[in-house]
Amino acid sequence: MNQRETSSHRGVLSRYSALSVGVALLLVVSGCGARALDPAGPAAAAIADLWWVMFALSVIIFAGVMAALAFGIWGRRDDPEGRRERLGRHLVMIGGVLVPGLVILGLMAYNTYITVDLEEPDSTPVATVYVESHQWWWHVEYPDHDFATANEIHIPAGQPVTLRLHSSDVIHSFWVPELQGKRDMMPDHVGQIWLQADEPGTYRGQCAEFCGLQHAKMQFLVIAHEPAEFESWLEEQQTPPPDPVDDQALRGQQVFLESGCADCHTVRGTDAAGEVGPDLTNLASRRELGAGTLTNTRENLADWIIDSQRFKPGNLMPPVPMPDQDLQDLLAYLETLR
Ligand code: CUA
């Protein structure tokens, strides 16, 4: 190898090293990684610990391999007594067989311990929530309390909740980076996982398995309340909203029941019992529309009703064109659904 080739190899090597370090740093600071590494519950905390141990080991091993590589490239070549060759053989046995074997066994043991430990929470779950994934939204049911909502999961802070997970169509994956690891949702099997948040707050969840055109817009929120607040939320949800008293909202209810909305959506306490789309009984209290697509404001809701395909092409809701007066009445009605 001549001088020029050697220096160009060195250039390529240092560029690759810089790139690897850059990619590693990028992963650490990227939004997704940062949220999983900023745990807000015991399960995510255990997973984050595992991640940091693996990351630290990778950094040490990477530095060791780079040092051996540098030694190979820039070390002395002459070896009259065969010492370098003996050292090389030892290095291959220790660094190439013994150390990787121990590291892999150690990590496997730690990983298995965490996985088994995470199967069950430390205390008995205080509620069960059934979550069914659809292309591309989340049906959320509280079977012990007989009501359903969508794209929002309310839980008590500091207490575990059991989630039963099922898919109505393709494989999706349930993931709340700050609270738990991922869990696939299968059409032919009801899976189980538990959630616990240390503090009251709102935590974003995202489908983590590519499930079609709008996979990215398949989000949900986990809202953790103080336990007493959660109990009263459960209670409130069991009573459907009363029929509107206001004339405009009353006309809006007729629009809702007569213009096709009720074929796909449920509003408990009315004749609307469609099961194709999300249950809308508490729509006005939700923070977002279309599984994280839009903020739940009057304007966004109007745009969504008229043509949701503009915001989420391929979703099952067809455009629902209607005279402006009907739309205003309908909005007035939907605002009463809390
Ligand atoms: Cu559902 Cu990706």
Side-chain angles (χ1 to χ4, degrees), residues 131-140 149-151 168-169 172 185 207 211 214 217-220 264-265 274-279 286 290-292 312 315-316:
V131 182
E132 190 173 66
S133 53
H134 296 253
Q135 281 172 315
W136 297 276
W137 60 280
W138 312 81
H139 170 79
V140 178
T149 174
N151 305 323
S168 69
D169 37 48
H172 302 266
M185 299 174 75
C207 178
C211 55
Q214 296 299 340
K217 288 180 182 165
M218 188 167 168
Q219 302 179 15
F220 60 98
C264 296
H265 296 283
E275 288 186 346
V276 180
D279 185 305
R286 291 188 211 149
K312 198 168 176 180
N315 89 78
L316 282 184

PDB file of all heavy atoms in Angstrom, residues 131-140 149-151 168-169 172 185 207 211 214 217-220 264-265 274-279 286 290-292 312 315-316:
ATOM      1  N   VAL A 131     -58.703  -1.823  24.724  1.00  0.00           N
ATOM      2  CA  VAL A 131     -58.353  -0.926  23.617  1.00  0.00           C
ATOM      3  C   VAL A 131     -58.382  -1.727  22.320  1.00  0.00           C
ATOM      4  O   VAL A 131     -57.749  -2.784  22.218  1.00  0.00           O
ATOM      5  CB  VAL A 131     -56.946  -0.315  23.808  1.00  0.00           C
ATOM      6  CG1 VAL A 131     -56.613   0.646  22.672  1.00  0.00           C
ATOM      7  CG2 VAL A 131     -56.847   0.402  25.148  1.00  0.00           C
ATOM      8  N   GLU A 132     -59.156  -1.223  21.347  1.00  0.00           N
ATOM      9  CA  GLU A 132     -59.206  -1.904  20.054  1.00  0.00           C
ATOM     10  C   GLU A 132     -58.695  -0.947  18.980  1.00  0.00           C
ATOM     11  O   GLU A 132     -59.191   0.178  18.851  1.00  0.00           O
ATOM     12  CB  GLU A 132     -60.633  -2.357  19.743  1.00  0.00           C
ATOM     13  CG  GLU A 132     -60.665  -3.265  18.524  1.00  0.00           C
ATOM     14  CD  GLU A 132     -62.046  -3.856  18.304  1.00  0.00           C
ATOM     15  OE1 GLU A 132     -62.973  -3.087  18.003  1.00  0.00           O
ATOM     16  OE2 GLU A 132     -62.196  -5.076  18.444  1.00  0.00           O
ATOM     17  N   SER A 133     -57.701  -1.418  18.224  1.00  0.00           N
ATOM     18  CA  SER A 133     -57.120  -0.551  17.202  1.00  0.00           C
ATOM     19  C   SER A 133     -57.847  -0.724  15.874  1.00  0.00           C
ATOM     20  O   SER A 133     -58.288  -1.825  15.530  1.00  0.00           O
ATOM     21  CB  SER A 133     -55.638  -0.888  17.033  1.00  0.00           C
ATOM     22  OG  SER A 133     -55.484  -2.269  16.787  1.00  0.00           O
ATOM     23  N   HIS A 134     -58.019   0.397  15.185  1.00  0.00           N
ATOM     24  CA  HIS A 134     -58.641   0.417  13.864  1.00  0.00           C
ATOM     25  C   HIS A 134     -57.737   1.232  12.962  1.00  0.00           C
ATOM     26  O   HIS A 134     -57.001   2.086  13.435  1.00  0.00           O
ATOM     27  CB  HIS A 134     -60.009   1.119  13.923  1.00  0.00           C
ATOM     28  CG  HIS A 134     -61.021   0.427  14.778  1.00  0.00           C
ATOM     29  ND1 HIS A 134     -62.084  -0.258  14.249  1.00  0.00           N
ATOM     30  CD2 HIS A 134     -61.133   0.316  16.119  1.00  0.00           C
ATOM     31  CE1 HIS A 134     -62.818  -0.769  15.236  1.00  0.00           C
ATOM     32  NE2 HIS A 134     -62.265  -0.428  16.377  1.00  0.00           N
ATOM     33  N   GLN A 135     -57.827   0.989  11.648  1.00  0.00           N
ATOM     34  CA  GLN A 135     -57.118   1.870  10.723  1.00  0.00           C
ATOM     35  C   GLN A 135     -57.893   3.185  10.676  1.00  0.00           C
ATOM     36  O   GLN A 135     -58.995   3.213  10.123  1.00  0.00           O
ATOM     37  CB  GLN A 135     -57.053   1.248   9.337  1.00  0.00           C
ATOM     38  CG  GLN A 135     -55.975   0.171   9.222  1.00  0.00           C
ATOM     39  CD  GLN A 135     -56.060  -0.549   7.903  1.00  0.00           C
ATOM     40  OE1 GLN A 135     -57.139  -0.917   7.456  1.00  0.00           O
ATOM     41  NE2 GLN A 135     -54.931  -0.763   7.258  1.00  0.00           N
ATOM     42  N   TRP A 136     -57.536   4.319  11.240  1.00  0.00           N
ATOM     43  CA  TRP A 136     -56.375   4.567  12.037  1.00  0.00           C
ATOM     44  C   TRP A 136     -56.789   5.339  13.249  1.00  0.00           C
ATOM     45  O   TRP A 136     -56.621   6.556  13.313  1.00  0.00           O
ATOM     46  CB  TRP A 136     -55.354   5.360  11.201  1.00  0.00           C
ATOM     47  CG  TRP A 136     -54.894   4.566  10.008  1.00  0.00           C
ATOM     48  CD1 TRP A 136     -53.892   3.631  10.001  1.00  0.00           C
ATOM     49  CD2 TRP A 136     -55.373   4.607   8.663  1.00  0.00           C
ATOM     50  NE1 TRP A 136     -53.727   3.078   8.732  1.00  0.00           N
ATOM     51  CE2 TRP A 136     -54.633   3.668   7.891  1.00  0.00           C
ATOM     52  CE3 TRP A 136     -56.393   5.318   8.016  1.00  0.00           C
ATOM     53  CZ2 TRP A 136     -54.856   3.458   6.532  1.00  0.00           C
ATOM     54  CZ3 TRP A 136     -56.606   5.087   6.669  1.00  0.00           C
ATOM     55  CH2 TRP A 136     -55.833   4.174   5.940  1.00  0.00           C
ATOM     56  N   TRP A 137     -57.394   4.665  14.191  1.00  0.00           N
ATOM     57  CA  TRP A 137     -57.820   5.287  15.446  1.00  0.00           C
ATOM     58  C   TRP A 137     -57.978   4.215  16.518  1.00  0.00           C
ATOM     59  O   TRP A 137     -57.836   3.033  16.233  1.00  0.00           O
ATOM     60  CB  TRP A 137     -59.125   6.079  15.237  1.00  0.00           C
ATOM     61  CG  TRP A 137     -60.281   5.253  14.749  1.00  0.00           C
ATOM     62  CD1 TRP A 137     -60.509   4.859  13.456  1.00  0.00           C
ATOM     63  CD2 TRP A 137     -61.330   4.673  15.530  1.00  0.00           C
ATOM     64  NE1 TRP A 137     -61.647   4.075  13.395  1.00  0.00           N
ATOM     65  CE2 TRP A 137     -62.176   3.958  14.662  1.00  0.00           C
ATOM     66  CE3 TRP A 137     -61.651   4.697  16.888  1.00  0.00           C
ATOM     67  CZ2 TRP A 137     -63.304   3.266  15.091  1.00  0.00           C
ATOM     68  CZ3 TRP A 137     -62.784   4.028  17.325  1.00  0.00           C
ATOM     69  CH2 TRP A 137     -63.597   3.315  16.426  1.00  0.00           C
ATOM     70  N   TRP A 138     -58.266   4.647  17.742  1.00  0.00           N
ATOM     71  CA  TRP A 138     -58.285   3.731  18.880  1.00  0.00           C
ATOM     72  C   TRP A 138     -59.648   3.773  19.582  1.00  0.00           C
ATOM     73  O   TRP A 138     -60.075   4.840  20.023  1.00  0.00           O
ATOM     74  CB  TRP A 138     -57.201   4.103  19.888  1.00  0.00           C
ATOM     75  CG  TRP A 138     -55.862   4.335  19.260  1.00  0.00           C
ATOM     76  CD1 TRP A 138     -55.456   5.484  18.632  1.00  0.00           C
ATOM     77  CD2 TRP A 138     -54.754   3.430  19.189  1.00  0.00           C
ATOM     78  NE1 TRP A 138     -54.171   5.331  18.175  1.00  0.00           N
ATOM     79  CE2 TRP A 138     -53.707   4.078  18.500  1.00  0.00           C
ATOM     80  CE3 TRP A 138     -54.549   2.124  19.646  1.00  0.00           C
ATOM     81  CZ2 TRP A 138     -52.480   3.482  18.255  1.00  0.00           C
ATOM     82  CZ3 TRP A 138     -53.318   1.524  19.400  1.00  0.00           C
ATOM     83  CH2 TRP A 138     -52.310   2.203  18.714  1.00  0.00           C
ATOM     84  N   HIS A 139     -60.304   2.614  19.661  1.00  0.00           N
ATOM     85  CA  HIS A 139     -61.536   2.494  20.435  1.00  0.00           C
ATOM     86  C   HIS A 139     -61.114   2.147  21.865  1.00  0.00           C
ATOM     87  O   HIS A 139     -60.327   1.223  22.072  1.00  0.00           O
ATOM     88  CB  HIS A 139     -62.388   1.375  19.829  1.00  0.00           C
ATOM     89  CG  HIS A 139     -63.555   0.978  20.653  1.00  0.00           C
ATOM     90  ND1 HIS A 139     -64.717   1.705  20.672  1.00  0.00           N
ATOM     91  CD2 HIS A 139     -63.744  -0.082  21.507  1.00  0.00           C
ATOM     92  CE1 HIS A 139     -65.572   1.110  21.503  1.00  0.00           C
ATOM     93  NE2 HIS A 139     -65.003   0.037  22.016  1.00  0.00           N
ATOM     94  N   VAL A 140     -61.623   2.894  22.840  1.00  0.00           N
ATOM     95  CA  VAL A 140     -61.194   2.707  24.228  1.00  0.00           C
ATOM     96  C   VAL A 140     -62.423   2.440  25.089  1.00  0.00           C
ATOM     97  O   VAL A 140     -63.335   3.269  25.138  1.00  0.00           O
ATOM     98  CB  VAL A 140     -60.458   3.966  24.731  1.00  0.00           C
ATOM     99  CG1 VAL A 140     -60.048   3.803  26.190  1.00  0.00           C
ATOM    100  CG2 VAL A 140     -59.242   4.263  23.857  1.00  0.00           C
ATOM    101  N   THR A 149     -64.914   5.403  24.795  1.00  0.00           N
ATOM    102  CA  THR A 149     -64.491   6.686  24.255  1.00  0.00           C
ATOM    103  C   THR A 149     -63.506   6.361  23.124  1.00  0.00           C
ATOM    104  O   THR A 149     -63.468   5.224  22.668  1.00  0.00           O
ATOM    105  CB  THR A 149     -63.899   7.583  25.380  1.00  0.00           C
ATOM    106  OG1 THR A 149     -63.369   8.758  24.805  1.00  0.00           O
ATOM    107  CG2 THR A 149     -62.800   6.878  26.162  1.00  0.00           C
ATOM    108  N   ALA A 150     -62.755   7.342  22.671  1.00  0.00           N
ATOM    109  CA  ALA A 150     -61.827   7.048  21.588  1.00  0.00           C
ATOM    110  C   ALA A 150     -60.599   7.946  21.659  1.00  0.00           C
ATOM    111  O   ALA A 150     -60.693   9.121  22.038  1.00  0.00           O
ATOM    112  CB  ALA A 150     -62.514   7.248  20.235  1.00  0.00           C
ATOM    113  N   ASN A 151     -59.480   7.373  21.316  1.00  0.00           N
ATOM    114  CA  ASN A 151     -58.215   8.113  21.158  1.00  0.00           C
ATOM    115  C   ASN A 151     -57.725   8.800  22.428  1.00  0.00           C
ATOM    116  O   ASN A 151     -56.798   9.622  22.362  1.00  0.00           O
ATOM    117  CB  ASN A 151     -58.315   9.128  20.015  1.00  0.00           C
ATOM    118  CG  ASN A 151     -58.736   8.473  18.715  1.00  0.00           C
ATOM    119  OD1 ASN A 151     -58.337   7.343  18.431  1.00  0.00           O
ATOM    120  ND2 ASN A 151     -59.557   9.151  17.937  1.00  0.00           N
ATOM    121  N   SER A 168     -58.894  -4.643  15.229  1.00  0.00           N
ATOM    122  CA  SER A 168     -60.079  -5.005  14.461  1.00  0.00           C
ATOM    123  C   SER A 168     -59.711  -5.319  13.017  1.00  0.00           C
ATOM    124  O   SER A 168     -60.515  -5.832  12.270  1.00  0.00           O
ATOM    125  CB  SER A 168     -61.071  -3.852  14.472  1.00  0.00           C
ATOM    126  OG  SER A 168     -60.538  -2.792  13.713  1.00  0.00           O
ATOM    127  N   ASP A 169     -58.503  -4.957  12.609  1.00  0.00           N
ATOM    128  CA  ASP A 169     -58.134  -5.201  11.209  1.00  0.00           C
ATOM    129  C   ASP A 169     -56.700  -5.725  11.073  1.00  0.00           C
ATOM    130  O   ASP A 169     -56.466  -6.906  11.218  1.00  0.00           O
ATOM    131  CB  ASP A 169     -58.358  -3.932  10.366  1.00  0.00           C
ATOM    132  CG  ASP A 169     -58.010  -2.639  11.103  1.00  0.00           C
ATOM    133  OD1 ASP A 169     -56.914  -2.586  11.694  1.00  0.00           O
ATOM    134  OD2 ASP A 169     -58.813  -1.691  11.068  1.00  0.00           O
ATOM    135  N   HIS A 172     -51.384  -3.606  14.560  1.00  0.00           N
ATOM    136  CA  HIS A 172     -50.934  -2.293  15.014  1.00  0.00           C
ATOM    137  C   HIS A 172     -50.031  -2.530  16.226  1.00  0.00           C
ATOM    138  O   HIS A 172     -49.932  -3.653  16.716  1.00  0.00           O
ATOM    139  CB  HIS A 172     -52.121  -1.424  15.436  1.00  0.00           C
ATOM    140  CG  HIS A 172     -53.141  -1.215  14.344  1.00  0.00           C
ATOM    141  ND1 HIS A 172     -53.120  -0.128  13.505  1.00  0.00           N
ATOM    142  CD2 HIS A 172     -54.206  -1.956  13.967  1.00  0.00           C
ATOM    143  CE1 HIS A 172     -54.144  -0.207  12.658  1.00  0.00           C
ATOM    144  NE2 HIS A 172     -54.817  -1.311  12.913  1.00  0.00           N
ATOM    145  N   MET A 185     -50.670  -5.349  18.514  1.00  0.00           N
ATOM    146  CA  MET A 185     -52.103  -5.608  18.652  1.00  0.00           C
ATOM    147  C   MET A 185     -52.531  -6.455  17.474  1.00  0.00           C
ATOM    148  O   MET A 185     -52.403  -6.035  16.330  1.00  0.00           O
ATOM    149  CB  MET A 185     -52.870  -4.284  18.695  1.00  0.00           C
ATOM    150  CG  MET A 185     -52.426  -3.450  19.890  1.00  0.00           C
ATOM    151  SD  MET A 185     -53.142  -1.816  19.922  1.00  0.00           S
ATOM    152  CE  MET A 185     -54.815  -2.137  20.451  1.00  0.00           C
ATOM    153  N   CYS A 207     -49.120   4.631  17.332  1.00  0.00           N
ATOM    154  CA  CYS A 207     -49.034   3.298  16.756  1.00  0.00           C
ATOM    155  C   CYS A 207     -47.598   3.097  16.272  1.00  0.00           C
ATOM    156  O   CYS A 207     -47.028   3.967  15.627  1.00  0.00           O
ATOM    157  CB  CYS A 207     -50.010   3.157  15.594  1.00  0.00           C
ATOM    158  SG  CYS A 207     -49.901   1.537  14.804  1.00  0.00           S
ATOM    159  N   CYS A 211     -49.078   0.429   9.487  1.00  0.00           N
ATOM    160  CA  CYS A 211     -50.386  -0.210   9.319  1.00  0.00           C
ATOM    161  C   CYS A 211     -51.177   0.420   8.183  1.00  0.00           C
ATOM    162  O   CYS A 211     -52.392   0.344   8.161  1.00  0.00           O
ATOM    163  CB  CYS A 211     -51.161  -0.109  10.624  1.00  0.00           C
ATOM    164  SG  CYS A 211     -51.301   1.579  11.211  1.00  0.00           S
ATOM    165  N   GLN A 214     -52.154   5.994   6.760  1.00  0.00           N
ATOM    166  CA  GLN A 214     -52.187   6.998   7.825  1.00  0.00           C
ATOM    167  C   GLN A 214     -51.619   6.477   9.144  1.00  0.00           C
ATOM    168  O   GLN A 214     -52.018   6.906  10.220  1.00  0.00           O
ATOM    169  CB  GLN A 214     -53.621   7.511   8.006  1.00  0.00           C
ATOM    170  CG  GLN A 214     -54.159   8.227   6.794  1.00  0.00           C
ATOM    171  CD  GLN A 214     -53.341   9.466   6.432  1.00  0.00           C
ATOM    172  OE1 GLN A 214     -52.610  10.010   7.247  1.00  0.00           O
ATOM    173  NE2 GLN A 214     -53.458   9.918   5.202  1.00  0.00           N
ATOM    174  N   LYS A 217     -50.619   9.114  11.517  1.00  0.00           N
ATOM    175  CA  LYS A 217     -51.705   9.844  12.169  1.00  0.00           C
ATOM    176  C   LYS A 217     -52.586   8.881  12.953  1.00  0.00           C
ATOM    177  O   LYS A 217     -53.815   8.898  12.871  1.00  0.00           O
ATOM    178  CB  LYS A 217     -52.521  10.633  11.142  1.00  0.00           C
ATOM    179  CG  LYS A 217     -51.739  11.833  10.621  1.00  0.00           C
ATOM    180  CD  LYS A 217     -52.520  12.630   9.622  1.00  0.00           C
ATOM    181  CE  LYS A 217     -51.665  13.790   9.092  1.00  0.00           C
ATOM    182  NZ  LYS A 217     -52.239  14.362   7.875  1.00  0.00           N
ATOM    183  N   MET A 218     -51.952   7.971  13.660  1.00  0.00           N
ATOM    184  CA  MET A 218     -52.677   7.052  14.526  1.00  0.00           C
ATOM    185  C   MET A 218     -52.112   7.229  15.930  1.00  0.00           C
ATOM    186  O   MET A 218     -51.344   6.422  16.422  1.00  0.00           O
ATOM    187  CB  MET A 218     -52.516   5.617  14.025  1.00  0.00           C
ATOM    188  CG  MET A 218     -53.412   4.656  14.785  1.00  0.00           C
ATOM    189  SD  MET A 218     -53.507   3.067  13.992  1.00  0.00           S
ATOM    190  CE  MET A 218     -54.281   2.136  15.298  1.00  0.00           C
ATOM    191  N   GLN A 219     -52.503   8.354  16.515  1.00  0.00           N
ATOM    192  CA  GLN A 219     -51.981   8.693  17.836  1.00  0.00           C
ATOM    193  C   GLN A 219     -53.091   8.655  18.880  1.00  0.00           C
ATOM    194  O   GLN A 219     -54.266   8.548  18.546  1.00  0.00           O
ATOM    195  CB  GLN A 219     -51.387  10.105  17.799  1.00  0.00           C
ATOM    196  CG  GLN A 219     -50.292  10.243  16.761  1.00  0.00           C
ATOM    197  CD  GLN A 219     -49.724  11.642  16.720  1.00  0.00           C
ATOM    198  OE1 GLN A 219     -49.922  12.450  17.625  1.00  0.00           O
ATOM    199  NE2 GLN A 219     -49.003  11.944  15.651  1.00  0.00           N
ATOM    200  N   PHE A 220     -52.711   8.738  20.124  1.00  0.00           N
ATOM    201  CA  PHE A 220     -53.694   8.836  21.206  1.00  0.00           C
ATOM    202  C   PHE A 220     -53.041   9.531  22.382  1.00  0.00           C
ATOM    203  O   PHE A 220     -51.830   9.774  22.379  1.00  0.00           O
ATOM    204  CB  PHE A 220     -54.225   7.453  21.603  1.00  0.00           C
ATOM    205  CG  PHE A 220     -53.169   6.485  22.089  1.00  0.00           C
ATOM    206  CD1 PHE A 220     -52.940   6.285  23.438  1.00  0.00           C
ATOM    207  CD2 PHE A 220     -52.405   5.760  21.178  1.00  0.00           C
ATOM    208  CE1 PHE A 220     -51.971   5.393  23.888  1.00  0.00           C
ATOM    209  CE2 PHE A 220     -51.428   4.865  21.606  1.00  0.00           C
ATOM    210  CZ  PHE A 220     -51.214   4.683  22.968  1.00  0.00           C
ATOM    211  N   CYS A 264     -72.528   5.610  11.552  1.00  0.00           N
ATOM    212  CA  CYS A 264     -71.156   5.192  11.872  1.00  0.00           C
ATOM    213  C   CYS A 264     -70.745   5.487  13.305  1.00  0.00           C
ATOM    214  O   CYS A 264     -69.780   4.916  13.804  1.00  0.00           O
ATOM    215  CB  CYS A 264     -70.156   5.871  10.933  1.00  0.00           C
ATOM    216  SG  CYS A 264     -70.366   5.380   9.213  1.00  0.00           S
ATOM    217  N   HIS A 265     -71.417   6.456  13.940  1.00  0.00           N
ATOM    218  CA  HIS A 265     -70.977   6.868  15.280  1.00  0.00           C
ATOM    219  C   HIS A 265     -72.046   6.608  16.337  1.00  0.00           C
ATOM    220  O   HIS A 265     -73.239   6.674  16.056  1.00  0.00           O
ATOM    221  CB  HIS A 265     -70.639   8.367  15.282  1.00  0.00           C
ATOM    222  CG  HIS A 265     -69.488   8.729  14.400  1.00  0.00           C
ATOM    223  ND1 HIS A 265     -68.176   8.494  14.749  1.00  0.00           N
ATOM    224  CD2 HIS A 265     -69.446   9.324  13.177  1.00  0.00           C
ATOM    225  CE1 HIS A 265     -67.379   8.928  13.780  1.00  0.00           C
ATOM    226  NE2 HIS A 265     -68.117   9.427  12.801  1.00  0.00           N
ATOM    227  N   GLY A 274     -73.940   3.667  15.710  1.00  0.00           N
ATOM    228  CA  GLY A 274     -73.006   3.150  14.709  1.00  0.00           C
ATOM    229  C   GLY A 274     -71.693   2.728  15.356  1.00  0.00           C
ATOM    230  O   GLY A 274     -71.286   3.275  16.378  1.00  0.00           O
ATOM    231  N   GLU A 275     -71.061   1.703  14.759  1.00  0.00           N
ATOM    232  CA  GLU A 275     -69.819   1.210  15.373  1.00  0.00           C
ATOM    233  C   GLU A 275     -68.643   1.254  14.413  1.00  0.00           C
ATOM    234  O   GLU A 275     -67.580   0.695  14.698  1.00  0.00           O
ATOM    235  CB  GLU A 275     -70.033  -0.216  15.882  1.00  0.00           C
ATOM    236  CG  GLU A 275     -70.916  -0.220  17.123  1.00  0.00           C
ATOM    237  CD  GLU A 275     -71.041  -1.586  17.761  1.00  0.00           C
ATOM    238  OE1 GLU A 275     -70.669  -2.586  17.112  1.00  0.00           O
ATOM    239  OE2 GLU A 275     -71.529  -1.640  18.904  1.00  0.00           O
ATOM    240  N   VAL A 276     -68.830   1.929  13.281  1.00  0.00           N
ATOM    241  CA  VAL A 276     -67.746   1.985  12.296  1.00  0.00           C
ATOM    242  C   VAL A 276     -66.667   2.980  12.742  1.00  0.00           C
ATOM    243  O   VAL A 276     -65.475   2.727  12.638  1.00  0.00           O
ATOM    244  CB  VAL A 276     -68.301   2.389  10.907  1.00  0.00           C
ATOM    245  CG1 VAL A 276     -67.179   2.448   9.878  1.00  0.00           C
ATOM    246  CG2 VAL A 276     -69.379   1.416  10.466  1.00  0.00           C
ATOM    247  N   GLY A 277     -67.137   4.122  13.254  1.00  0.00           N
ATOM    248  CA  GLY A 277     -66.199   5.166  13.667  1.00  0.00           C
ATOM    249  C   GLY A 277     -66.186   5.329  15.173  1.00  0.00           C
ATOM    250  O   GLY A 277     -66.892   4.617  15.891  1.00  0.00           O
ATOM    251  N   PRO A 278     -65.391   6.270  15.670  1.00  0.00           N
ATOM    252  CA  PRO A 278     -65.272   6.485  17.111  1.00  0.00           C
ATOM    253  C   PRO A 278     -66.593   6.845  17.791  1.00  0.00           C
ATOM    254  O   PRO A 278     -67.430   7.531  17.206  1.00  0.00           O
ATOM    255  CB  PRO A 278     -64.298   7.664  17.218  1.00  0.00           C
ATOM    256  CG  PRO A 278     -63.555   7.673  15.925  1.00  0.00           C
ATOM    257  CD  PRO A 278     -64.480   7.112  14.895  1.00  0.00           C
ATOM    258  N   ASP A 279     -66.774   6.372  19.022  1.00  0.00           N
ATOM    259  CA  ASP A 279     -67.886   6.768  19.893  1.00  0.00           C
ATOM    260  C   ASP A 279     -67.721   8.259  20.181  1.00  0.00           C
ATOM    261  O   ASP A 279     -66.644   8.708  20.567  1.00  0.00           O
ATOM    262  CB  ASP A 279     -67.779   5.940  21.193  1.00  0.00           C
ATOM    263  CG  ASP A 279     -68.950   6.165  22.140  1.00  0.00           C
ATOM    264  OD1 ASP A 279     -69.194   7.342  22.483  1.00  0.00           O
ATOM    265  OD2 ASP A 279     -69.594   5.189  22.538  1.00  0.00           O
ATOM    266  N   ARG A 286     -62.792  16.008  24.379  1.00  0.00           N
ATOM    267  CA  ARG A 286     -61.524  15.467  23.881  1.00  0.00           C
ATOM    268  C   ARG A 286     -60.623  16.575  23.365  1.00  0.00           C
ATOM    269  O   ARG A 286     -61.094  17.590  22.867  1.00  0.00           O
ATOM    270  CB  ARG A 286     -61.775  14.436  22.775  1.00  0.00           C
ATOM    271  CG  ARG A 286     -62.403  13.183  23.331  1.00  0.00           C
ATOM    272  CD  ARG A 286     -62.460  12.097  22.271  1.00  0.00           C
ATOM    273  NE  ARG A 286     -63.625  11.263  22.514  1.00  0.00           N
ATOM    274  CZ  ARG A 286     -64.313  10.652  21.568  1.00  0.00           C
ATOM    275  NH1 ARG A 286     -63.966  10.776  20.301  1.00  0.00           N
ATOM    276  NH2 ARG A 286     -65.351   9.918  21.878  1.00  0.00           N
ATOM    277  N   GLY A 290     -59.495  13.070  15.007  1.00  0.00           N
ATOM    278  CA  GLY A 290     -58.839  12.222  14.006  1.00  0.00           C
ATOM    279  C   GLY A 290     -57.587  11.546  14.530  1.00  0.00           C
ATOM    280  O   GLY A 290     -56.598  11.444  13.805  1.00  0.00           O
ATOM    281  N   ALA A 291     -57.597  11.086  15.797  1.00  0.00           N
ATOM    282  CA  ALA A 291     -56.453  10.386  16.405  1.00  0.00           C
ATOM    283  C   ALA A 291     -55.164  11.208  16.319  1.00  0.00           C
ATOM    284  O   ALA A 291     -54.147  10.741  15.814  1.00  0.00           O
ATOM    285  CB  ALA A 291     -56.276   9.000  15.779  1.00  0.00           C
ATOM    286  N   GLY A 292     -55.260  12.440  16.804  1.00  0.00           N
ATOM    287  CA  GLY A 292     -54.056  13.272  16.866  1.00  0.00           C
ATOM    288  C   GLY A 292     -53.813  14.097  15.613  1.00  0.00           C
ATOM    289  O   GLY A 292     -52.787  14.765  15.494  1.00  0.00           O
ATOM    290  N   LYS A 312     -56.678  13.658   6.374  1.00  0.00           N
ATOM    291  CA  LYS A 312     -56.260  12.283   6.625  1.00  0.00           C
ATOM    292  C   LYS A 312     -56.767  11.400   5.487  1.00  0.00           C
ATOM    293  O   LYS A 312     -57.726  10.638   5.650  1.00  0.00           O
ATOM    294  CB  LYS A 312     -56.851  11.842   7.973  1.00  0.00           C
ATOM    295  CG  LYS A 312     -56.181  10.638   8.592  1.00  0.00           C
ATOM    296  CD  LYS A 312     -56.642  10.471  10.025  1.00  0.00           C
ATOM    297  CE  LYS A 312     -56.055   9.231  10.636  1.00  0.00           C
ATOM    298  NZ  LYS A 312     -56.484   9.048  12.028  1.00  0.00           N
ATOM    299  N   ASN A 315     -58.928   7.730   5.252  1.00  0.00           N
ATOM    300  CA  ASN A 315     -59.695   7.307   6.437  1.00  0.00           C
ATOM    301  C   ASN A 315     -61.130   6.999   6.001  1.00  0.00           C
ATOM    302  O   ASN A 315     -61.584   7.409   4.937  1.00  0.00           O
ATOM    303  CB  ASN A 315     -59.610   8.374   7.542  1.00  0.00           C
ATOM    304  CG  ASN A 315     -60.690   9.424   7.468  1.00  0.00           C
ATOM    305  OD1 ASN A 315     -61.830   9.194   7.854  1.00  0.00           O
ATOM    306  ND2 ASN A 315     -60.340  10.592   6.931  1.00  0.00           N
ATOM    307  N   LEU A 316     -61.856   6.251   6.829  1.00  0.00           N
ATOM    308  CA  LEU A 316     -63.152   5.719   6.391  1.00  0.00           C
ATOM    309  C   LEU A 316     -64.273   6.754   6.328  1.00  0.00           C
ATOM    310  O   LEU A 316     -65.345   6.484   5.807  1.00  0.00           O
ATOM    311  CB  LEU A 316     -63.585   4.585   7.332  1.00  0.00           C
ATOM    312  CG  LEU A 316     -62.915   3.227   7.110  1.00  0.00           C
ATOM    313  CD1 LEU A 316     -63.505   2.190   8.050  1.00  0.00           C
ATOM    314  CD2 LEU A 316     -63.084   2.757   5.662  1.00  0.00           C
TER     315      LEU A 316
END
